[in-house]
């Protein structure tokens, strides 16, 4: 059995949906859990004590949890939630960046304020919380960071330009942090979920009731990925999806490409464009060194 005894886990946005399932399961498996949630509505407005309820559930079941209502999108509040972990439990081993909001609009109709807020909560919020925990992980030579991405960024989803940009930004952050964390036992990965929550219920056509998730799309089915990525056996620099009970990995590929002469102009590129676009020779770019191997 995979347990998290003596491990301190911070889960952001853990008052409901997927984050709540993560927090409860870490609690069941012996972790000391910091449950964070602003308790906002889906658009990021308002606040409530959702997090306190989840912490109470964990404690009532015999686990150990504390809670806070801090916002991940404020760097000082991000620091404060990590400080709470240190003050209450003495360390921080795992950060699960899960908090999120949605403001769906086509790019033409979105406002720059909405765009900014979505990026602030998802991408900057994840960076702020991770940045606050990073020195402690570095010092103790151990850490697990999970960034919640989405197929919306990795493959694209109509009406989610800011959300998709932020979710794809998680991969960029992961790629660099997984390199920088390697020498200090810090593993950084992306989790791409799919489950019935109030977020997916926003799309009325799907007919989802977040209070009665379909068994195959229950948010608790995402949690095994979070536990794996938080465990001793965690890889680093990977994107793992937990989509309605289906578990898979996705990767960035590039083809071999072509080398043109130093005096090449756009016409030379266009002349060879079929070869440039042909992905039949594509290879994974999971190691940065692979980029320099291209064309050899
Ligand atoms: N449900 C899915 O199918 C799906 C798919 C792809 C990605 N995701 C991602 O999974 C994560 C969890 O989403 P969910 O579906 O459980 O939705 P959810 O709305 O139930 O959970 C998100 C939680 O984040 C909290 N939150 C919002 N802003 C916050 C802030 N500034 N600081 C702290 N907490 C804040 C909310 O109060 C909420 O409880 C999100 O990052 C979401 O983008 C979900």
């Amino acid at each position: 059995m995979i347990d998290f005894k003596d491990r301190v886990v911070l889960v952001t946005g853990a008052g409901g949906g997927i984050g709540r399932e993560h927090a409860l399961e870490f609690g069941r498996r012996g972790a000391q859990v910091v449950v964070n949630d602003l308790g906002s509505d889906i658009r990021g407005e308002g606040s409530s004590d959702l997090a306190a309820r989840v912490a109470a559930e964990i404690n009532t079941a015999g686990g150990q949890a504390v809670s806070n209502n801090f916002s991940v999108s404020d760097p000082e509040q991000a620091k404060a939630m990590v400080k709470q972990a240190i003050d209450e439990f003495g360390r921080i081993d795992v950060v699960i960046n899960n908090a999120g909001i949605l403001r769906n609009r086509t790019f033409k109709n979105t406002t720059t304020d909405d765009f900014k807020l979505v990026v602030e909560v998802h991408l900057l919020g994840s960076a702020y919380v991770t940045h606050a925990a990073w020195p402690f992980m570095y010092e103790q030579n151990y850490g697990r960071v999970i960034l919640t991405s989405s197929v919306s960024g990795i493959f694209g989803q109509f009406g989610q330009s800011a959300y998709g940009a932020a979710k794809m930004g998680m991969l960029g952050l992961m790629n660099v942090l997984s390199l920088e964390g390697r020498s200090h036992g810090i593993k950084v990965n992306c989790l791409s979920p799919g489950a019935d929550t109030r977020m997916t219920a926003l799309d009325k056509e799907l007919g989802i009731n977040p209070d009665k998730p379909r068994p195959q799309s229950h948010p608790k089915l995402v949690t095994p990925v979070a536990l794996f990525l938080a465990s001793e056996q965690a890889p680093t620099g990977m994107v793992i999806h937990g989509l309605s009970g289906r578990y898979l990995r996705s990767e960035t590929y590039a083809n071999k490409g072509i080398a043109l002469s130093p005096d090449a102009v756009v016409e030379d590129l266009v002349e060879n464009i079929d070869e440039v676009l042909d992905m039949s020779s594509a290879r994974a770019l999971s190691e940065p060194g692979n980029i320099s191997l291209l064309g050899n």
Side-chain angles (χ1 to χ4, degrees):
M1 173 169 157
I2 296 178
D3 79 70
F4 293 90
K5 204 173 162 305
D6 300 327
R7 293 287 178 209
V8 180
V9 181
L10 164 61
V11 188
T12 71
I18 296 165
R20 174 174 173 273
E21 299 296 338
H22 294 340
L24 292 175
E25 189 62 8
F26 276 109
R28 280 182 210 112
R29 289 173 183 261
Q32 293 161 310
V33 188
V34 179
V35 181
N36 157 262
D37 203 300
L38 177 61
S40 68
D41 69 12
I42 192 81
R43 289 176 52 79
E45 280 160 0
S47 63
S48 65
D49 66 351
L50 281 181
R53 276 186 252 160
V54 174
E57 260 187 85
I58 294 171
N59 290 324
T60 305
Q64 276 181 280
V66 293
S67 68
N68 67 70
N69 293 352
F70 296 132
S71 172
V72 296
S73 63
D74 176 331
E76 290 310 313
Q77 295 186 42
K79 271 191 210 159
M81 59 183 90
V82 171
K83 183 173 183 302
Q84 186 183 25
I86 303 295
D87 290 348
E88 296 282 343
F89 301 126
R91 51 191 287 133
I92 176 94
D93 295 293
V94 180
V95 171
I96 307 211
N97 294 289
N98 167 82
I101 60 167
L102 270 185
R103 293 195 168 196
N104 290 352
R105 281 276 174 92
T106 58
F107 192 53
K108 179 170 164 286
N109 293 326
T110 202
T111 66
T112 49
D113 280 348
D114 280 355
F115 199 101
K116 188 165 172 243
L117 185 66
V118 170
V119 173
E120 271 173 357
V121 172
H122 288 277
L123 181 57
L124 295 183
S126 299
Y128 295 153
V129 178
T130 304
H131 189 255
W134 197 256
F136 295 101
M137 293 179 169
Y138 217 75
E139 187 65 28
Q140 72 203 11
N141 279 305
Y142 187 92
R144 299 286 183 264
V145 175
I146 296 165
L147 300 158
T148 304
S149 186
S150 169
V151 290
S152 176
I154 299 168
F155 305 111
Q157 188 113 321
F158 197 89
Q160 297 193 326
S161 51
Y163 182 79
K167 289 307 199 184
M168 197 60 188
M170 303 291 188
L171 273 67
L173 186 59
M174 170 192 78
N175 286 336
V176 174
L177 295 193
S178 66
L179 289 177
E180 294 187 7
R182 262 177 206 200
S183 58
H184 285 72
I186 309 173
K187 311 275 181 79
V188 185
N189 295 282
C190 281
L191 160 57
S192 153
D196 288 359
T197 66
R198 68 179 189 172
M199 229 180 230
T200 35
L202 267 190
D203 185 344
K204 298 287 174 229
E205 280 179 19
L206 298 175
I208 289 167
N209 177 356
D211 298 324
K212 283 195 182 143
R214 294 165 295 173
Q216 79 277 15
S217 294
H218 197 289
K220 71 180 181 192
L221 294 179
V222 178
T223 295
V225 182
L227 293 181
F228 170 61
L229 295 178
S231 72
E232 298 294 322
Q233 301 101 299
T236 195
M238 288 196 185
V239 180
I240 304 200
H241 305 256
L243 305 170
S244 295
R246 177 171 290 274
Y247 304 94
L248 53 139
R249 178 180 170 207
S250 60
E251 254 278 28
T252 304
Y253 277 61
N255 63 16
K256 204 160 171 255
I258 54 161
L260 293 175
S261 65
D263 56 357
V265 291
V266 61
E267 284 77 13
D268 299 303
L269 177 64
V270 171
E271 202 171 304
N272 292 283
I273 202 68
D274 288 345
E275 207 178 334
V276 174
L277 301 185
D278 175 17
M279 293 299 282
S280 55
S281 68
R283 282 185 292 174
L285 292 182
S286 47
E287 295 291 328
N290 279 0
I291 292 171
S292 58
L293 293 176
L294 290 174
N296 293 343

